[in-house]
Amino acid sequence: MTEPSTDRPAAFRLHPGAPGSPVVLHVPHSSRVVPGDVRAGIVLDDRALAEELDHITDAYTERIAATAAGAARVAPWRFVNGLSRLVVDPERFPDEREEMLAVGMGAVYTRTTHREVLRPGDTDVRPLIDRYFRPYAEAMEAAVAERLAAVGRAVVVDVHSYPAKALPYELHGDGPRPPVCLGTDSFHTPDGLLDSARRAFGGFGGTGLNSPFGGTYVPLRYYGREPRVSALMVEIRRDLYLDERGAPRDEGVAALAGALAGLVEEISG
C-alpha cells in the first residue's frame, strides 16, 4: 500500500553528521509516499500501485543507512528522499541526456517497471519537475557544497537495492547480478574509493561493477567538473536482507549496515 500522506509531506531531509565528515549518504529511493495530488495523475488502481511500489522501492535502504551512520565513528551526513521515486526520480537527468526515457522512466515516470502505462502519454511533467525535482537537486547541491567548504572534499555514497531477478524496464538486465553492485563514474570514482568499497562489501559473496546498474549521482553543478567531489553507488541485491515477502531480515540489515559503516570510516579516515 502507499503510505498515508498529506498534501505537503516532507520531500527530503538532510540529517547532520559529524562536522569533519566528507561523506553524504544519499538515499533516494526508499520511500513509498505519494502525495494525494500526485496520486491523482497516476492511472493505476490502488492494488496495482501497491504492487508497483513493491517493485520500484529500495525498501529499508534508509534503515541500512541510518544504522550505518549510527555505528560509524565519524558520523556521515545523510540526505534522504521523503517521497517515492514515482513522484520524481531525483537521480535521472531532467532532459534528453537520460537514457531511461527510452522506457518512459526519465525524471518523471510515465511507464511502470513492466512497461505499462503509469501516467497518460500527454502528461505535462514540468510542474512535477519544478515542484519536486529542482528543489531536491538544489538542496543536494547545497549539502555537497557545505562539505566542500567544511573539509575540502565531498564523497557521495548512493544507497540502493535491486531485485535478484531482472524487471522488464531494465535496459541492462542481461548482465551479472552480484550480491553487491558498485556503480562508478570515470571522473568521480577514484580507484581508492572503489577499492575501499570492495573490501567493505567483499564478505557478502562478491561485488560486481556497473551491472545491472551503473554510474553515480553527482549534483549537476559539479558533474564532470569538480574532482574534489567523489561518488560511488552501492546497489544491494534484495535477497541479502529481505525475505520472500519483502520483510527485512534483521541480521541482513545489520550486516550490511556494518559494512557500510566500515566504508564510511575508511573514507573519512
Side-chain angles (χ1 to χ4, degrees):
M1 296 177 65
T2 55
E3 296 292 339
S5 62
T6 65
D7 287 340
R8 292 184 178 274
F12 49 80
R13 183 178 177 187
L14 177 64
H15 298 265
S21 174
V23 181
V24 179
L25 295 181
H26 183 214
V27 187
H29 295 157
S30 65
S31 176
R32 295 172 67 95
V33 174
V34 179
D37 58 338
V38 178
R39 170 68 180 96
I42 292 175
V43 303
L44 304 180
D45 62 26
D46 287 348
R47 180 177 178 179
L49 177 57
E51 290 177 353
E52 181 62 13
L53 286 165
D54 289 343
H55 291 307
I56 202 67
T57 303
D58 291 352
Y60 303 101
T61 49
E62 181 181 2
R63 178 174 161 185
I64 291 171
T67 304
R73 287 191 295 270
V74 179
W77 297 63
R78 288 181 292 125
F79 194 100
V80 180
N81 190 359
L83 302 179
S84 169
R85 63 198 291 192
L86 296 185
V87 179
V88 296
D89 190 333
E91 296 220 312
R92 303 287 199 238
F93 286 111
D95 52 36
E96 66 282 351
R97 288 174 292 178
E98 180 52 59
E99 69 169 355
M100 296 301 292
L101 283 170
V103 290
M105 299 182 81
V108 177
Y109 298 174
T110 58
R111 295 278 172 169
T112 71
T113 51
H114 288 72
R115 304 200 180 195
E116 298 171 349
V117 176
L118 180 73
R119 291 182 171 92
D122 60 354
T123 297
D124 182 1
V125 303
R126 290 173 296 181
L128 291 173
I129 294 290
D130 291 341
R131 183 176 178 185
Y132 294 108
F133 185 94
R134 297 195 193 284
Y136 188 105
E138 290 166 2
M140 185 64 183
E141 179 184 301
V144 170
E146 185 179 27
R147 292 301 84 214
L148 287 174
V151 297
R153 65 188 179 110
V155 185
V156 179
V157 178
D158 258 6
V159 185
H160 291 264
S161 71
Y162 75 97
K165 183 178 179 180
L167 292 168
Y169 83 96
E170 295 182 24
L171 294 179
H172 310 290
D174 294 337
R177 303 181 80 81
V180 178
C181 164
L182 303 174
T184 66
D185 178 86
S186 59
F187 186 89
H188 290 284
T189 310
D191 290 343
L193 176 57
L194 181 58
D195 290 343
S196 294
R198 284 171 167 155
R199 285 192 293 272
F201 291 100
F204 295 93
T207 61
L209 192 64
N210 293 316
S211 176
F213 299 99
T216 64
Y217 178 85
V218 176
L220 290 177
R221 173 183 174 186
Y222 301 114
Y223 184 67
R225 301 174 184 176
E226 177 53 83
R228 295 181 301 159
V229 177
S230 301
L232 177 78
M233 180 170 67
V234 177
E235 288 270 4
I236 301 164
R237 205 176 63 206
R238 292 175 189 160
D239 59 344
L240 292 184
Y241 71 100
L242 299 179
D243 64 22
E244 64 278 0
R245 300 167 299 161
R249 291 186 290 104
D250 289 343
E251 68 277 12
V253 170
L256 288 161
L260 183 58
L263 173 61
V264 167
E265 290 180 357
E266 190 164 338
I267 294 170
S268 302

